[in-house]
Amino acid sequence: MRSRAERADVVIVGAGFTGLSAALELARAGIDVLLLEARDRVGGRVEAVRNGLGELIDSGGQFFCEDMPQVTALAKARGKSFVETHVEGEFVTHPAMAAAEAERTYHRAMAIRERMNRIEPDDPAIAGLSVADWLERQTDPADAKAAFRSMIEGLWCLALGKVPLWHLIDNDRRITNEVPELQYSLRETMQSLAEDLADDFAGELGGRLRPGEPVTRIEHGPEGVRAVTAGGTIQARAVLVALPPATAARLDFAPALPTALAKALGAWESGAVIKMLLRYARPFWRERGLSGMVMWRDLPGLFACDSSKDGEHAALTVFVGGPLAMRWRQLGEAGLRADVTARLAEALGPDAADITDFSMRDWTHDRWSGGAYADLIVDVAARDAEHTILAGSPPVYFAASEVSPSFPGYVEGAIVAGGIAARKIAEALQPVIASRTSGP
């Protein structure tokens, strides 16, 4: 490959929603940005693929709700079609429970979550406790505790024994939606929104976006930074590493990052999730008065929901999260299809076995962004990890959905985090920009 040397005001590493949002804001402020992405596409943990029927489907991040203002506003501004998730009908738990008992169990599980969130993250009484430790001390019925565990491992995709209680409380408090987070998806896919942002950056603003070019090394010092790729080097005044913390920790920095910052990045671990889309000729579950939502009490982290785009595109999305995903990935695609189909048939009836297409995305060991929707802190002592990462080591800055003040781990959080980082960098570079525009 031809070697090249380039210059930019800012290099951004990673073209997920964090990097894209930061790039747009910096470019609009008159800052020269080069956006480098390891994958051959933008979007990060958001992704769209063609299924066996030729339909474009979300194989990564997909759902959002009206209480997420940034992603909602972006989608509306770009004329996206909102598809409301079907939730009418009975919510199924498996093994089966009477409807009234299932509802009680759900409310009891939510009561556990609410009780947890009333604890102050810095309460000395929870120091050193994992979520599993705390849950074991609760006196709730076993079914409610099992439902809580399934809910949390399904959302955060790590075993409860790995997650510090203070971290989950702090994380959960920043997820402030009052309507279900599965409220909407986009007919055009969430990936199309990422592509729109990339088009705005590269087209309207004339920014430089380079997919398929992973950064292998970041050299930094008082005079600026050098981002090294297989194609050459880029000299810049600053670099924004817009990657999940566990992925950012694997980058080669020269000189090494300050010890506290390196330790803060190393305190995180990616979870594990497998996402499947099962297409049907018709939404048969609705005919039985079911919502299509299923939670397996005996398999924490397994969840299904209706993701039909309309009556002619009936579909169920199945998520396998946490330790279950790590075990089930060993089955391979054929084994997973057989197992999931059989379990859906047990929960929703024999029509669940009559699928017209099966698509699967195994994120558990994704090279560029880890294995799940977000990373989580797994070091109970890493109380200052987020603050340390956000402080960075200028001219090296960091941003990710995980450290967003709102909706960490979601597209909404990524957009917010990217904007915050962009404003911080723009302020630091203001003297340079001012001297360039003021003239002699």
Side-chain angles (χ1 to χ4, degrees):
M1 181 179 292
R2 179 175 59 86
S3 179
R4 60 176 177 268
E6 297 179 80
R7 289 187 176 274
D9 289 331
V10 178
V11 171
I12 298 179
V13 183
F17 272 89
T18 300
L20 287 166
S21 300
L24 277 166
E25 189 151 339
L26 287 168
R28 286 170 179 153
I31 295 171
D32 177 30
V33 179
L34 176 58
L35 179 54
L36 300 174
E37 168 56 46
R39 292 182 170 96
D40 61 0
R41 59 167 182 82
V42 298
R45 287 163 166 161
V46 165
E47 177 187 78
V49 298
R50 297 281 176 186
N51 66 7
L53 303 174
E55 301 162 342
L56 195 61
I57 63 170
D58 285 294
S59 50
Q62 174 177 357
F63 295 100
F64 66 102
C65 70
E66 62 192 31
D67 289 338
M68 300 176 181
Q70 299 294 328
V71 66
T72 301
L74 279 174
K76 287 181 177 178
R78 285 155 178 80
K80 301 300 179 186
S81 305
F82 287 38
V83 178
E84 190 164 4
T85 304
H86 177 82
V87 295
E88 295 177 6
E90 185 181 334
F91 180 100
V92 174
T93 58
H94 197 80
M97 304 173 79
E101 182 61 24
E103 184 175 358
R104 279 194 297 272
T105 299
Y106 169 76
H107 287 297
R108 285 168 175 166
M110 289 303 295
I112 296 174
R113 189 171 181 177
E114 291 165 6
R115 185 189 318 142
M116 177 189 75
N117 284 333
R118 287 196 294 270
I119 302 170
E120 290 302 320
D122 58 357
D123 187 337
I126 67 169
L129 289 184
S130 70
V131 181
D133 294 332
W134 177 81
L135 183 61
E136 187 176 351
R137 299 180 179 185
Q138 306 309 298
T139 58
D140 303 87
D143 280 338
K145 293 166 77 169
F148 172 84
R149 179 185 172 195
S150 188
M151 180 193 310
I152 300 302
E153 290 192 351
L155 281 172
W156 298 115
C157 301
L158 275 175
L160 297 191
K162 284 192 168 187
V163 183
L165 179 60
W166 65 264
H167 178 52
L168 184 62
I169 294 168
D170 183 60
N171 226 285
D172 224 16
R173 284 183 172 188
R174 288 181 267 167
I175 300 170
T176 54
N177 53 297
E178 295 183 3
V179 298
E181 56 201 47
L182 298 179
Q183 183 181 18
Y184 296 120
S185 60
L186 299 178
R187 186 175 300 278
E188 300 84 356
T189 74
M190 187 64 76
Q191 171 71 22
S192 73
L193 189 57
E195 291 169 352
D196 286 350
L197 296 182
D199 289 345
D200 288 350
F201 171 67
E204 172 191 341
L205 297 172
R208 291 179 287 163
L209 168 61
R210 194 166 296 147
E213 189 156 342
V215 171
T216 57
R217 181 179 174 90
I218 295 174
E219 301 169 359
H220 57 102
E223 301 304 313
V225 298
R226 281 164 47 96
V228 181
T229 75
T233 61
I234 303 96
Q235 183 77 38
R237 300 180 188 278
V239 63
L240 173 61
V241 180
L243 302 174
T247 302
R250 296 197 296 268
L251 284 174
D252 181 21
F253 292 92
L257 294 173
T259 301
L261 179 53
K263 185 176 180 181
L265 290 170
W268 302 71
E269 183 176 321
S270 295
V273 70
I274 301 170
K275 182 179 182 182
M276 290 162 274
L277 184 80
L278 284 71
R279 280 278 281 110
Y280 294 93
R282 70 187 204 284
F284 64 87
W285 52 92
R286 299 184 192 178
E287 299 165 8
R288 295 183 51 206
L290 304 177
S291 66
M293 289 191 180
V294 186
M295 184 177 72
W296 281 262
R297 295 183 293 125
D298 56 341
L299 292 166
L302 183 60
F303 177 79
C305 68
D306 187 327
S307 56
S308 308
K309 291 193 173 179
D310 53 51
E312 296 180 358
H313 295 83
L316 292 172
T317 292
V318 178
F319 301 94
V320 188
L324 184 64
M326 296 301 293
R327 295 198 304 270
W328 276 19
R329 73 182 306 268
Q330 305 300 324
L331 299 174
E333 183 170 343
L336 264 171
R337 172 174 176 162
D339 208 341
V340 167
T341 303
R343 292 180 187 278
L344 282 170
E346 290 175 355
L348 300 176
D351 286 338
D354 190 19
I355 63 174
T356 58
D357 186 72
F358 177 90
S359 301
M360 182 186 97
R361 175 61 155 101
D362 180 357
W363 287 88
T364 56
H365 289 86
D366 188 81
R367 180 180 180 186
W368 301 117
S369 60
Y373 321 115
D375 299 347
L376 286 176
I377 291 174
V378 293
D379 180 354
V380 293
R383 301 298 297 262
D384 294 326
E386 290 195 38
H387 174 77
T388 303
I389 290 169
L390 288 171
S393 182
V396 181
Y397 299 84
F398 295 86
S401 179
E402 285 86 346
V403 293
S404 173
S406 63
F407 290 98
Y410 291 80
V411 172
E412 176 75 12
I415 297 169
V416 171
I420 291 171
R423 291 187 287 276
K424 182 187 297 184
I425 294 169
E427 182 179 359
L429 297 185
Q430 186 57 40
V432 174
I433 305 306
S435 66
R436 191 159 61 200
T437 57
S438 62

